[in-house]
C-alpha cells in the first residue's frame, strides 16, 4: 500500500476548507485544514506535509507572508505551495508569489476537480523528482 500524501489547506473561508477536504479525502490524501494563518506555521512544522494549499488574502498573516516564512524553514523549504486567489492575478503578483516560494496558483473561483487536478499534477512531478 502506498503512503497517503499529507496535504495542508490554509484558508480563512471555513466553507471552502470543508469542500476541499471532502473532495480530497480518500485513499490518496491525508488532508488537514487550518483557518488560522498565525497557527499554521507550527502546525505545518509538526505535520510535515507533502503539499500546502494556501489562500493569499487572509487576516493576521497573508499567504505571501506565510509562504515566505515556510520557505525559510529548512525542513519545509522543499514543500510545494499552491496559492489560491481571486484578487492577486496581475503580473506583479506572480513575481511576488515566485519570490515567496509559491510556484503554482489556483484562481478563485475554482471547482474541487480543478484543485484535485492541480494537486495531482504537482504530486506526480514531485514523485518523478524523488525517483531520479
Amino acid at each position: 500500500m502506498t503512503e497517503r500524501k499529507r496535504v495542508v489547506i490554509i484558508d480563512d473561508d471555513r466553507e471552502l476548507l470543508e469542500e476541499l477536504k471532502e473532495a480530497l479525502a480518500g485513499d490518496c490524501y491525508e488532508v488537514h485544514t487550518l483557518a488560522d494563518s498565525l497557527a499554521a506555521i507550527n502546525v505545518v512544522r509538526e505535520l510535515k506535509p507533502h503539499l500546502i494549499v494556501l489562500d493569499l488574502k487572509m487576516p493576521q498573516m497573508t499567504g505571501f507572508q506565510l509562504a515566505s516564512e515556510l520557505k525559510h524553514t529548512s525542513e519545509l523549504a522543499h514543500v510545494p505551495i499552491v496559492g489560491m486567489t481571486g484578487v492577486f492575478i496581475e503580473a506583479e503578483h506572480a513575481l511576488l508569489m515566485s519570490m515567496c516560494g509559491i510556484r503554482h496558483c489556483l484562481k478563485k473561483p475554482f471547482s474541487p476537480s480543478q484543485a484535485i487536478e492541480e494537486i495531482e499534477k504537482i504530486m506526480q512531478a514531485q514523485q518523478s523528482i524523488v525517483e531520479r
Side-chain angles (χ1 to χ4, degrees):
M1 183 174 181
T2 58
E3 176 190 15
R4 288 176 43 187
K5 302 294 184 182
R6 275 180 307 287
V7 176
V8 174
I9 306 169
I10 307 163
D11 196 319
D12 58 319
D13 180 344
R14 292 180 189 277
E15 199 172 304
L16 178 62
L17 288 176
E18 277 306 307
E19 189 176 344
L20 289 175
K21 185 173 185 172
E22 282 180 27
L24 288 167
D27 294 338
C28 297
Y29 301 108
E30 175 186 322
V31 182
H32 301 268
T33 59
L34 298 162
D36 182 347
S37 57
L38 289 177
I41 295 165
N42 291 327
V43 174
V44 169
R45 278 188 184 131
E46 189 176 304
L47 290 172
K48 295 178 180 54
H50 296 94
L51 182 110
I52 299 166
V53 182
L54 173 64
D55 185 23
L56 298 179
K57 186 176 181 190
M58 293 184 288
Q60 299 171 326
M61 178 183 274
T62 69
F64 294 108
Q65 292 167 316
L66 181 54
S68 183
E69 188 155 338
L70 292 170
K71 283 299 171 186
H72 288 94
T73 303
S74 61
E75 69 267 25
L76 299 170
H78 69 284
V79 177
I81 299 175
V82 178
M84 297 185 290
T85 186
V87 178
F88 302 113
I89 54 174
E90 303 300 324
E92 63 267 19
H93 298 123
L95 177 61
L96 182 56
M97 282 184 235
S98 180
M99 290 170 57
C100 294
I102 301 167
R103 302 286 181 252
H104 311 274
C105 187
L106 287 166
K107 291 185 176 90
K108 292 179 179 179
F110 56 84
S111 69
S113 63
Q114 289 171 307
I116 291 169
E117 185 178 316
E118 185 70 15
I119 289 168
E120 288 181 350
K121 183 172 66 174
I122 296 164
M123 291 294 200
Q124 288 173 356
Q126 286 293 104
Q127 187 63 35
S128 296
I129 291 169
V130 169
E131 291 173 353
R132 285 185 198 166

